Structure formats: structure tokens, C-alpha cells
Amino acid sequence: MPEGIFCNKQPVETKERLHEVLGDKGGAKYYKEMESLEVDVPALKALLKTSCKSRLKTWLNGCMRCGLCADSCFLYIANDKDYRQVPSYKIQTTLGELVAKNGEVDTKFMIHCMDVAWSQCTCCNRCAIYCPMGIDVGVMFSYLRGILFSQGFIPWEMKIGSGMHRVYRAQMDVTSEEWVDTCEWMAEETEEEWPGLTIPVDKKNADIIYTVNAREPKHYPEDLAHAAILFHLAGENWTVPSEGWEETSLAMFAGDWKAAKMQVESVYAAIDRLKPKRMVVTECGHAYRATVTEGPYWAGIKDGKPPVESLHYVEWVAEALRTGKLKIDPAKKIKEPVTYQDSCNYIRNAGLADDVRYIMSQIAEDFREMIPNREYNYCCGGGGGLNGIGRYRKERNVGLTVKRDQILATEAKLVITPCHNCWDAIRDLEEVYHIGIRWSFLKPLLVDMVLVPEHLKHLEA
Amino acid sequence: MYHFITGPLLWVSFAIFFIGTLTHVVLYVKNLDWELDRVSYGAHTLWGIRGALRSICLWMTPYGTRSWRIKPLYTFMFYLFHVGGVLVPLFLSAHGVILKSRWGISLPTLPGFVADLLTVGVMIAVVGLSIRRCIRPEVRALTSGREIGTLIIAVAPFFTGFMAYHQIGGGNFWTLAHILSGEMLLVAVPFTKLSHMVLFFCSRAQIGMDFGIKRGGMKSVGMPC
């Protein structure tokens, strides 16, 4: 059987197909079909010819096999230093072999590549900063994911995720109408406590366009309310777009570059339409990576920058605290030991470590750094899509032990996680290992500790 | 025999070395692709140069990066190997004499005992690195004949040069072996992993630009080391 009903080379592009694939619970039939999915060797060769250029070739051929990348990988550490988890080994035995054989590979090999690409690398890019040759195995695995996507060898959840972006321009089935309804609902709910608060939709020429992760309207609408309260207290002239509001990109995790481009262009179109001065991205690491760091390239923007200056939420918070737009009530600072999960996507890969340290200096009396920290911090354990893939749950849970031990060493019971992936991973870590911690985004903590300007004091009950 | 290997064969070896390495660099740069690599090489030139230089300089500095610092013994062997490996061939007084007499090029030369020490250092480092390849599982798993072969080709001119210099055994034999192994090294560079002699700079410059332009370099010091 060259192509399956569920598992095939065609991306999901309609609601009907999405429902069909979703109906195959856990992907049982999907993975069964994958065992018979044929490799389109000519297409694979053609893709390698056009996309495997000097940087990738040099990384593959120029690896001196020194092994310095081994200890940089949290999965190598978590798996008792198994040599099969050494980044160089992982990429050489997958992409390296694929390139060496010029695409002459079989189904079994492609399934092996899929398992390694999604369960043994979270594309955290930590190995890149330990390699003397400057080889970034995370980037190579991301490239490999794109190859695997083109051939249909991707985890079931990734197929669905990329399909969601193609159908809804969001990682979940949230329509623009539902999004706007959620904004109106949260504005109504919040306005009772904060008179004058609004969630302006499609306001032109605002100072800030705020974009989110679809999980927020879908599962945590109070996050939107918190964002609104903080913008309100800071006196920001802000808006949300009715379309192009979703920052995330499961398409990026899936290696579906076409959908990644569609997704990010929907955000850039909102910017073009509403002409805001700046964009602020919610507390999500990969959303920032997708829309601010990588997105401009998918959209073909030659200077590699989004259409307007774009800030991760921590940058906005740091700026608001520095300028006094937000002031912290000293009596309400966090008194207990607290630690912070540096997200790979906006710390190591975007340089925002200092902003985070400034925020922590303002809101916490006993901030405990994880070791290692900042750009050297380990992945939460669930990045790169690993959190969401049922097939690799066991491997993910083993990987979480590194983060668990880092957190335990701080002796903090509260972990601040301004990244959805990190938040999920640390929540799951607690569910699996019961170490007695709590975890939180910044917004709910800030809402409880900011000083309310006199003119905005809410009505007493 | 001597005239042949110090004449035409030497010329051919140098030609292969220079043309081969130059080809590597030209092809590397030519095939960089801002859309595929997702790095806007041309749009933020100064940020790119800053990132590239920072990346190259920090990684060439002994213990200049975190990766070097957390593996102090490996780093020591690495630098012992590379410092001697670069300095001795370029600044050995015997090589200087040949350069001067043949092409009129005059380079500063190392005192004999320093060159000797550096040569011994290279050989000790190669033994150390080889032992590491055998006993560390994470390196053993990555090691193939190519890595061992590369080490042998790299150390051969130093070993034979040391034997010839100290007239151990047949001095003439070791001199010929030294010249031939040196030529083998030159010829091997473009075709083996020894091409990292130039590709190290290309690759480091690229990743330095990547972090310098795109991944945080404009908001912090850039790629952490």
C-alpha cells in the first residue's frame, strides 16, 4: 500500500480530513499504515538536491566526532549517557545516512528517522553552543523533520497540528469568530472589576498589537483577561486582531514549512492591516521563535525582521517595570524561594536573559537560579513538539528528570514558566514525579502584585 | 628520488592544497542561502561581522568558551595538538631555510628546542586524543576509520620530522618519509576532515552570524560561549 487513508504524503487541508484523522484515536491506524508507506525516492533526491547546501553539508561532513556535544544534550544525560543519545550520533545515523545514500532509503529507515527526530531532539539548540565547529544539530533535525513531513513520516499529532494551521490558521480549532467572542466575553467579565477596561479588536494605529497562543482562548481565557488588565494598568494603547491573532506554529514542529509560512503571513497581514507601532507576543517561547525569529524568513522578508518591532511578553514586562508603567507593590513581592525556567526559544535563541533577570529582581525576594541557567539552561524536556506526541510519552518523561533535578537543587517550590511548552512540561513533571512544586506564567502573578494607579482603582464591592 | 619529491611532487602537493582549500571556501560562501539557512547575511552586515569575529576569536582562545572550560583535559590536549600543529610547520627553522632559498620568503623561526617541544606535544596530544577515542563510549561510538586515518595523516609529518631531526635510525629514510608524509598531509586536506583547516573558520563565522544577526545578537552579546 503506497499511501494510507490516514497516513500519507498529503497534508491535511480541510475540516473533513482533520476530523477523519482526529477520529483515529491515538493514531493507531495511522501508525499501522505508516509501516507500509512507500518512500518517494525521486522526490527525496530532488529535495536533497535543492535544499541540502553548503551549511548542512559542512555540518554533516565537517563533524570531527569529538563528542563534546554529548554532555550538552539533556536527553543524553537523562538516558544514563547512552551513546545513542549523543547529538552527533543521532544526526549522523539519520540525516547523515540519508544524505550519504542520496535518498535511497526504505520505509523502516524513515520511521527510525521520525522516531529520532521527534523523540530524541527537541531542537533546543543547546549542542550548538558546545560544538567547536559551530554545528547546530537542532537546526539539522528541524531540516530532517521537513524532509520527513514531505514524505508523510511524521507523528500523528504533528500531522493534525500542521493541518490545524492550514485549516484554522491556529494550532487548535478556534475560528476568528470564537476568538473575537472570547475577547468580548473576557472584556465583559473583567470590566466588572476594572471599569474602563476594554479588549480593543482591530483598532488601527495602536501602539501595540497583542497576539496569543490558541490554547489561551481555547483553554485559559483568563490569560487574555490578565493581559488586558496589565495593559490597562500600564495605560497601553493596544489592540488584538480579529484575524492573524495566533502566534504559534505546530507547523514549525512538524516541518511543514508551507503551513508555517501561511500561519506567519496571517499575523503579518494583520500588522499590515492595522498598522500598529509594535507587536507583543504572549508568554510562549516557540510562538516568538516562529513569528519573530524564523517567521520573516518563511515569509521571504530579506532583512529577517518582522514588519514591526516585536517583543516577547517578558520584554514588554521588563520595559513596563523599567519605565514605571507597571509598579510592583513591595509588600506583595514573592517571598518564598522561586526559580525561573529559561525557555530555549527566547533565551538561548533570542537573547532575552537579562530582561528576565530584571523582572525577577523586581518581583521576587528570593530568586534562585537553576544551574545551568540563562543561555545554557536545559530544555524543559517537552520542547519541539515532544510534549504533545503520545507515541513518545515514555521518552519525554525520562527526559523530564533533568529538569526535575535542576528544580529540586534550587529548593524552590514555585517555578515561573513564561512559555507554554515549559509550563506544560513542568506541570507534567509534577504529575509524574510528585516533587511538590507549583508553576505559573508571569501574568497571574503580576496581576496580584502590581500597584493600581489612583485613577484606575476598581470599585469596592 | 629526492629531487622528485622535493620538486614536482611538492609543487603538485601545494597546488592541490591551495586550490582545494580555496575551492572549499569559495563553494561554502557561494552556496550559503539566506532563505534556506534563514539568516539574513546581507542585511545586517556589521552585526554579522561582529558575530562572526566574536565566534571565531572566542573559540580560538584556550579555555575561552564554556565548552572548553568544562573539559579542561581535552582542551589541553586539543590546544597542545593544534598550537604545535600550526606553529611548527610554519616557523620551523629548517622549513624557513627552504622557503628563503627557494622563494626568497623570510619568516620568523622558532628556536630549535621550542619546535622540538611543540612537536613532542603534538605527538603526546595525538596519543591522548586516541586513547580518549578508545575509552570514552560517547566518542568511541562516533569514531570510524576516517577519524583514526585523519589523526595518523596529521601526526605522521611530526613523528617522521622528529626522527629525522634527531637522526634516530636512518636519517635519510626519515627525511624522505617526513617529506612524503608532509605532502600526503597537504594533499589530504581538501579531501578529508582535515579540510576543517579552512572550514572551521567558515562554519564558525556562519554560526556566529546566525546568532549575531538572528538569534539574539542584537539584543544581547550574541552567541554565548
Side-chain angles (χ1 to χ4, degrees):
Chain A
M1 183 174 61
E3 296 262 334
I5 298 165
F6 301 106
C7 183
N8 48 51
K9 295 177 178 59
Q10 309 308 314
V12 171
E13 308 216 64
T14 63
K15 278 184 193 174
E16 293 70 33
R17 279 293 295 149
L18 200 48
H19 288 139
E20 274 174 32
V21 181
L22 272 167
D24 174 29
K25 288 289 169 215
K29 290 180 196 159
Y30 176 90
Y31 287 121
K32 191 75 198 154
E33 288 178 358
M34 189 181 284
E35 290 170 13
S36 311
L37 182 63
E38 285 179 3
V39 182
D40 183 348
V41 173
L44 193 47
K45 282 184 181 206
L47 181 58
L48 286 174
K49 195 175 176 190
T50 53
S51 61
C52 191
K53 297 282 183 75
S54 62
R55 181 176 72 160
L56 286 168
K57 279 185 182 162
T58 302
W59 280 350
L60 284 174
N61 297 330
C63 171
M64 301 307 289
R65 314 282 180 113
C66 67
L68 283 192
C69 55
D71 288 317
S72 74
C73 180
F74 76 98
L75 285 162
Y76 171 75
I77 297 167
N79 286 282
D80 299 325
K81 304 205 166 190
D82 182 341
Y83 69 87
R84 288 168 297 186
Q85 290 281 357
V86 175
S88 171
Y89 184 89
K90 289 187 271 197
I91 201 68
Q92 293 291 347
T93 52
T94 52
L95 180 63
E97 208 167 320
L98 186 71
V99 172
K101 290 180 175 170
N102 192 24
E104 300 272 1
V105 293
D106 61 15
T107 299
K108 200 175 163 198
F109 177 80
M110 292 296 267
I111 293 175
H112 167 69
C113 284
M114 177 188 80
D115 288 338
V116 176
W118 274 278
S119 77
Q120 296 184 20
C121 179
T122 60
C123 301
C124 79
N125 309 99
R126 192 169 189 268
C127 50
I129 60 176
Y130 285 84
C131 173
M133 284 292 287
I135 296 170
D136 191 331
V137 174
V139 167
M140 282 199 278
F141 267 116
S142 181
Y143 171 73
L144 177 60
R145 288 179 180 198
I147 290 175
L148 294 166
F149 181 88
S150 73
Q151 294 281 327
F153 293 93
I154 56 165
W156 177 69
E157 292 86 347
M158 293 291 105
K159 179 113 179 171
I160 293 166
S162 100
M164 286 286 181
H165 286 290
R166 284 170 178 261
V167 176
Y168 291 99
R169 296 293 184 275
Q171 64 159 279
M172 290 178 168
D173 51 350
V174 181
T175 63
S176 289
E177 292 72 31
E178 287 165 338
W179 156 247
V180 172
D181 283 350
T182 308
C183 291
E184 288 168 358
W185 169 41
M186 280 299 111
E188 281 168 23
E189 290 269 316
T190 317
E191 201 196 6
E192 287 175 19
E193 199 179 355
W194 301 96
L197 179 147
T198 56
I199 300 183
V201 179
D202 283 343
K203 182 178 171 184
K204 291 199 171 176
N205 303 310
D207 290 338
I208 289 172
I209 188 170
Y210 178 61
T211 46
V212 303
N213 178 323
R215 283 156 47 110
E216 292 166 3
K218 182 89 174 175
H219 297 307
Y220 321 109
E222 66 277 14
D223 193 274
L224 181 61
H226 289 151
I229 293 167
L230 292 167
F231 282 141
H232 178 65
L233 293 177
E236 294 285 16
N237 171 21
W238 70 294
T239 189
V240 292
S242 58
E243 288 186 9
W245 48 271
E246 161 71 304
E247 284 279 348
T248 70
S249 186
L250 293 187
M252 174 173 77
F253 291 158
D256 180 359
W257 307 123
K258 199 174 165 192
K261 178 177 161 70
M262 289 175 188
Q263 181 60 49
V264 77
E265 284 180 342
S266 75
V267 179
Y268 296 167
I271 292 172
D272 285 346
R273 185 162 49 85
L274 301 176
K275 308 271 184 290
K277 291 191 181 68
R278 302 196 294 176
M279 174 163 66
V280 173
V281 178
T282 192
E283 293 177 70
C284 184
H286 98 273
Y288 181 88
R289 179 83 177 259
T291 309
V292 181
T293 311
E294 310 287 354
Y297 296 97
W298 296 327
I301 300 173
K302 218 169 175 179
D303 77 349
K305 298 289 167 199
V308 289
E309 186 193 354
S310 300
L311 287 74
H312 187 273
Y313 200 75
V314 298
E315 287 181 279
W316 178 77
V317 171
E319 181 189 278
L321 291 172
R322 283 191 180 109
T323 56
K325 282 184 179 176
L326 288 179
K327 291 192 175 74
I328 301 296
D329 182 345
K332 291 182 179 170
K333 276 188 171 185
I334 302 166
K335 306 280 187 297
E336 65 174 305
V338 55
T339 189
Y340 189 99
Q341 163 58 17
D342 285 305
S343 156
C344 310
N345 282 321
Y346 69 83
I347 302 288
R348 175 157 48 252
N349 287 294
L352 305 184
D354 288 334
D355 282 335
V356 165
R357 268 69 212 168
Y358 180 74
I359 294 169
M360 294 310 292
S361 74
Q362 299 296 299
I363 69 170
E365 290 185 358
D366 187 4
F367 171 47
R368 312 267 179 100
E369 292 273 14
M370 289 187 201
I371 298 172
N373 63 340
R374 297 175 61 105
E375 294 86 356
Y376 299 101
N377 192 22
Y378 292 117
C379 168
C380 59
L386 183 53
N387 262 340
I389 305 173
R391 183 178 168 98
Y392 310 129
R393 186 46 47 94
K394 190 171 147 238
E395 288 83 351
R396 197 282 309 259
N397 289 348
V398 170
L400 290 176
T401 55
V402 172
K403 190 54 58 188
R404 176 197 66 189
D405 295 345
Q406 267 188 297
I407 294 171
L408 283 172
T410 68
E411 297 183 349
K413 295 294 176 195
L414 175 60
V415 187
I416 298 182
T417 55
C419 168
H420 276 267
N421 258 317
C422 300
W423 191 95
D424 277 7
I426 289 167
R427 176 200 60 199
D428 290 0
L429 183 163
E430 176 59 23
E431 281 180 11
V432 177
Y433 296 107
H434 309 292
I435 60 171
I437 52 165
R438 290 168 288 118
W439 55 96
S440 177
F441 288 111
L442 270 173
K443 294 187 200 93
L445 299 170
L446 289 168
V447 164
D448 285 342
M449 67 174 85
V450 287
L451 285 167
V452 180
E454 205 57 41
H455 68 286
L456 291 178
K457 287 254 162 93
H458 50 72
L459 299 173
E460 295 299 327
Chain B
M1 176 72 171
Y2 182 81
H3 288 293
F4 174 71
I5 66 169
T6 58
L9 199 58
L10 184 64
W11 281 109
V12 170
S13 304
F14 272 122
I16 291 172
F17 172 79
F18 283 113
I19 293 168
T21 50
L22 189 67
T23 305
H24 268 300
V25 175
V26 170
L27 286 180
Y28 184 90
V29 176
K30 183 173 163 280
N31 286 322
L32 285 177
D33 185 314
W34 73 272
E35 274 185 299
L36 285 174
D37 301 345
R38 300 205 293 266
V39 181
S40 52
Y41 300 113
H44 308 279
T45 316
L46 285 177
W47 287 102
I49 292 171
R50 177 179 176 271
L53 288 177
R54 186 174 182 279
S55 174
I56 291 169
C57 293
L58 278 172
W59 280 89
M60 286 184 71
T61 308
Y63 302 97
T65 67
R66 185 186 174 100
S67 190
W68 289 143
R69 288 191 291 273
I70 60 173
K71 302 278 183 194
L73 183 60
Y74 173 78
T75 303
F76 177 74
M77 288 191 292
F78 177 93
Y79 278 96
L80 196 59
F81 181 43
H82 282 87
V83 169
V86 172
L87 292 183
V88 173
L90 287 178
F91 303 113
L92 187 80
S93 59
H95 291 177
V97 170
I98 297 169
L99 276 175
K100 180 82 181 157
S101 66
R102 288 215 179 170
W103 297 295
I105 300 168
S106 186
L107 286 178
T109 54
L110 289 166
F113 78 97
V114 175
D116 221 24
L117 273 180
L118 288 172
T119 303
V120 172
V122 167
M123 292 189 289
I124 291 172
V126 166
V127 171
L129 291 169
S130 304
I131 292 172
R132 178 176 176 270
R133 281 207 177 273
C134 296
I135 61 170
R136 301 285 305 187
E138 80 276 20
V139 198
R140 196 168 58 228
L142 299 173
T143 302
S144 67
R146 285 181 71 187
E147 282 68 41
I148 302 294
T150 306
L151 272 177
I152 292 170
I153 292 170
V155 77
F158 294 87
F159 176 70
T160 51
F162 183 82
M163 298 298 272
Y165 180 74
H166 290 281
Q167 304 281 309
I168 303 168
N172 196 37
F173 167 79
W174 287 116
T175 303
L176 289 175
H178 174 66
I179 298 165
L180 280 171
S181 60
E183 288 168 350
M184 181 170 67
L185 174 66
L186 288 171
V187 171
V189 167
F191 305 106
T192 65
K193 290 195 174 193
L194 292 165
S195 57
H196 78 272
M197 213 177 271
V198 288
L199 289 177
F200 163 83
F201 295 95
C202 297
S203 187
R204 281 245 64 89
Q206 191 282 326
I207 197 79
M209 290 175 88
D210 189 331
F211 277 86
I213 292 169
K214 173 185 161 188
R215 291 197 255 173
M218 296 187 190
K219 291 189 173 175
S220 68
V221 291
M223 185 182 193
C225 289

